[in-house]
Amino acid sequence: MDALILNLGLALAIGLLVGLERGWRDRDTPEGGRAAGIRTYGLSGLLGGALAALSVSLEAPSVLIAGFLAFTAVFAWYKTREPRSSENYSVTGVIAGLGVFSLGALA
């Protein structure tokens, strides 16, 4: 149980670190203009870690695969709505989100 807590803490830390960098990069964006920051990426890493732990405990890799596909769909859909207000057509945020989820799962 202690190892699980440490691993989930590492998954959360990965997400918080990436979110901190993404938030710092967009620090001059007006209020409400940022779609994902420290909280979003932190939760993404934690979600990846939690689904990986659940997948291992249930001995069902399909749990992690289904979670990753669902996360990808929701995160990508959300980020496609962002350019309407900011006119920023970068895919970097989506790739960062998927990377954070994956790194959280590996943790």
Side-chain angles (χ1 to χ4, degrees):
M1 186 65 166
D2 290 334
L4 176 63
I5 299 298
L6 289 174
N7 291 343
L8 289 177
L10 178 60
L12 177 63
I14 290 168
L16 292 174
L17 186 61
V18 172
L20 180 66
E21 186 279 327
R22 304 286 299 165
W24 182 259
R25 187 184 54 82
D26 292 336
R27 68 186 177 279
D28 295 331
T29 304
E31 184 69 30
R34 286 180 284 187
I38 191 166
R39 293 174 297 193
T40 303
Y41 288 106
L43 289 173
S44 298
L46 186 59
L47 178 64
L51 283 175
L54 184 62
S55 174
V56 168
S57 70
L58 294 176
E59 297 178 0
S62 58
V63 171
L64 181 59
I65 293 167
F68 182 73
L69 292 175
F71 174 79
T72 300
V74 170
F75 198 79
W77 174 79
Y78 184 74
K79 290 293 278 182
T80 59
R81 298 174 54 88
E82 183 181 23
R84 293 182 186 161
S85 62
S86 67
E87 296 184 11
N88 179 9
Y89 297 98
S90 175
V91 73
T92 307
V94 175
I95 300 302
L98 298 179
V100 165
F101 183 96
S102 299
L103 288 173
L106 286 173

